[in-house]
Amino acid sequence: MIALIAFKEKIRRKVFFAVFALAALITLIFSTGAATVTINGESVTDYKILMPTMLTVMNAASCAMAVALSLNTIPKEYERHTNQLIFIRGVSQSRYRIQLAIANITASLVSHAIFFSGLAVYIITSKNPSELLWAVPSYMYSGIGIVIVSLCTTCLSIVFSEMAAGVISVVIMLIGVFYPMIELLKGIAGGLSGKIFKALLFVLPNLHGIQSAAGCLITEHTFDLHIMFVALFYVYLFALGIILFRRKED
Amino acid sequence: MLECKNLIKTYKTKTAVNDLSFCVNEGEVFALLGSNGAGKTTTIKIILGLIKANSGTVHIRDGVRIGYSPDTPYFPPFLTGYETMEYYAAVGKIPITQRKSQITSLLEIVGLSADKIKVKDYSKGMLQRLAFAQALLGNPELLILDEPTAGLDALGRIEIIKLIGELKESGKTVILNSHILSDIEQVCDRGIIMNKGVQLGIWEKNADNAGQSLQEHFVELIGGADE
């Protein structure tokens, strides 16, 4: 019930309308051929190249939305003292946080589904309807990445202020989405910065890897079990954080 | 029904509650009196278990159900009053079979009808009454009301005070946190006067109070403490 009410409140937020607008815009750009990838000066309109590109854009947008939707749920509850009326009814703090995290995850996945519906439109308009069926497991696979971002943001919002949690979440999300680029930087940079990049890559989730594996499900119909298990391990870790971290009453 | 002994609560450098002791008897309306920053809300939060005291104890008789109405109530704006009550009834695990009748009767008691008006369209007075109603869910023996008349107009205040009087008559024990002395004098039996976390004195409705009204007693104690 707590999760349901928190979810209903989330989907009424103005940020949710931005999801529809952004999804429609990305779909329009890719479906009408307005988006082109240029290789060696030649414009590429091939489905096999454009589809993963669209998936990357959609996933990055979904991750950003997951941060926006998950960031202020817990701080707002404490600020408005709505938590007090829950706690005095015998609901434990950890159970309450889990319920709010579920609301965050559900809202983030719904937003991800809206973005993914744009991808489905692109698959149909690019005359590859047979791959539409693969979009479903691909959505579920890439959804793990969205769950990670949502859980991570929720975890941080328990411990830090809204602003600090937002900044850290965005940094984690960007490193995750641009994981290969950080790997490249790690290779280039030496000394302390190289070690920092190495540590970041070791600790933070590879959101790009999850999204690539989800893309391969549609384009190559292959399933990467290893990346999925690593992603699920991050889900487990952040879920543990939701239970263990505590926020003090003002 | 409730006993607080030597409560101390500090926030970094500030002492919010300093060696506070009092007991609340069954069936009485007990006041926590004091100006802003006196430590009244902190005391309530300690009693409710929302925050921990640095030292001291709170003893509440076993099995006592507690209802709480916060000072600035917030409810999901897209719900109606009835739906809000349903939500808290579900959270409080009130049996489904009892919910409808209980919610309808409580909304009637506080003067809110179970209509389709959303909480976002509620006036401040209606919100306070809804907060009151949710506090009464599950038929609690002990009610803790934090500034229930804050921000209300004269009529709204009269209605709330009348409601508290009715609850007292029905045998409920009430802890009322307020800085509006006329409200306290009207409805409370006893209370403690607090200033900057310290208990300055006790006030009793039917006691002699040295011929002083509550207002005079309060000003004398607070003024004396500030000098």
Side-chain angles (χ1 to χ4, degrees), chain B residues 146-159:
Chain B
D146 195 355
E147 304 278 7
T149 56
L152 294 186
D153 57 16
L155 200 66
R157 262 177 59 196
I158 292 166
E159 280 176 8

Side-chain angles (χ1 to χ4, degrees), chain A residues 9 12 80 84 89 250, chain B residues 45 68 74 78 87 134:
Chain A
E9 194 162 5
R12 278 173 169 79
R80 299 185 304 209
Q84 295 177 352
R89 290 186 159 84
D250 296 328
Chain B
K45 283 183 182 174
Y68 170 57
Y74 177 91
F78 52 89
Y87 170 51
Q134 66 75 30

Side-chain angles (χ1 to χ4, degrees), chain A residues 3 49 115 130 222 225:
Chain A
I49 297 172
F115 280 119
S130 58
T222 56
L225 212 59

Side-chain angles (χ1 to χ4, degrees), chain B residues 9-62:
Chain B
K9 176 68 189 175
T10 53
Y11 292 106
K12 287 178 184 165
T13 54
K14 194 190 159 207
T15 303
V17 174
N18 197 355
D19 202 21
L20 193 66
S21 298
F22 62 89
C23 62
V24 180
N25 302 320
E26 198 170 337
E28 74 174 347
V29 181
F30 187 87
L32 292 177
L33 264 160
S35 37
N36 292 334
K40 306 185 299 283
T41 299
T42 305
T43 308
I44 281 180
K45 283 183 182 174
I46 295 170
I47 293 170
L48 290 169
L50 295 169
I51 54 172
K52 275 187 182 161
N54 295 83
S55 66
T57 54
V58 175
H59 180 76
I60 301 171
R61 205 184 65 204
D62 280 347

Side-chain angles (χ1 to χ4, degrees), chain A residues 16-50:
Chain A
F16 225 84
F17 295 107
V19 176
F20 285 100
L22 205 59
L25 184 73
I26 297 169
T27 311
L28 204 69
I29 289 171
F30 280 86
S31 304
T32 57
T36 52
V37 176
T38 310
I39 299 171
N40 291 332
E42 279 196 32
S43 173
V44 177
T45 51
D46 182 31
Y47 169 80
K48 294 270 180 211
I49 297 172
L50 274 187

Side-chain angles (χ1 to χ4, degrees), chain A residues 16 30 60 143 174 188 193 221 237 242:
Chain A
F16 225 84
F30 280 86
L174 288 175
I188 298 166
S193 46
H221 307 167
L237 281 183
I242 301 280

Side-chain angles (χ1 to χ4, degrees), chain A residues 122-142:
Chain A
Y122 173 67
I123 292 172
I124 294 166
T125 54
S126 58
K127 296 179 182 94
N128 291 286
S130 58
E131 292 190 345
L132 202 59
L133 210 63
W134 287 94
V136 179
S138 175
Y139 164 78
M140 288 159 85
Y141 199 114
S142 59

